[in-house]
């Protein structure tokens, strides 16, 4: 599967953004999908993940209650709705995919920059 992330930008603290990740391939619905982010000088970290069916969702503690991950299998797209953004959410955001039996995410899209100003 090939992944293409979009929707990043500059937003003030307290604002919202919605990231999208479009996937190619007919087997999109077979993949679990995740969002990760990497801030300057920091390691990449997990943000949110959703199973192939959408029935299992999990979030990093730092974004719980503010971010929502969802997927539309008909559109081959996964979304990350980000509300109440904070300056510490500033990072390059990446979407990633894995098959149900894989522990790691071997498929990655290019990143999209999210900058939150104070």
């Amino acid at each position: 599967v090939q992944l293409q992330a979009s929707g990043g930008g500059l937003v003030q603290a307290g604002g919202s953004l919605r990231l999208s990740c479009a996937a190619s391939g007919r087997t999109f619905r077979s993949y679990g999908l995740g969002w990760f982010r990497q801030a300057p000088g920091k390691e990449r970290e997990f943000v949110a993940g959703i199973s192939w069916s959408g029935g299992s969702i999990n979030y990093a503690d730092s974004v719980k209650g503010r971010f929502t991950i969802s997927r539309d299998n008909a559109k081959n797209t996964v979304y990350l709705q980000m509300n109440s953004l904070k300056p510490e959410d500033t990072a390059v955001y990446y979407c990633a995919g894995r098959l149900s039996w894989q522990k790691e995410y071997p498929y990655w899209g290019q990143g999209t920059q999210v900058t939150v100003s104070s």
Side-chain angles (χ1 to χ4, degrees):
V1 65
Q2 292 184 322
L3 304 169
Q4 178 91 18
S6 62
L10 173 64
V11 64
Q12 289 189 331
S16 299
L17 280 175
R18 188 176 80 156
L19 304 184
S20 299
C21 179
S24 63
R26 296 176 295 173
T27 58
F28 174 78
R29 61 182 67 243
S30 299
Y31 289 81
L33 299 162
W35 287 98
F36 294 75
R37 66 187 181 187
Q38 187 167 21
K42 294 187 177 181
E43 293 187 353
R44 187 172 59 196
E45 63 175 357
F46 171 81
V47 175
I50 186 168
S51 64
W52 66 273
S53 66
S56 177
I57 291 174
N58 56 321
Y59 298 97
D61 288 343
S62 59
V63 306
K64 280 181 181 177
R66 300 188 299 121
F67 290 11
T68 302
I69 188 172
S70 61
R71 66 188 294 164
D72 186 337
N73 286 342
K75 295 183 178 179
N76 279 13
T77 303
V78 61
Y79 304 98
L80 185 68
Q81 178 66 43
M82 305 186 295
N83 299 329
S84 301
L85 282 162
K86 304 175 181 180
E88 51 263 45
D89 294 318
T90 295
V92 178
Y93 284 72
Y94 299 87
C95 60
R98 64 180 178 180
L99 292 168
S100 59
W101 50 269
Q102 294 175 320
K103 292 185 178 180
E104 303 297 328
Y105 286 84
Y107 309 102
W108 291 83
Q110 93 296 350
T112 186
Q113 176 71 47
V114 172
T115 302
V116 184
S117 63
S118 56

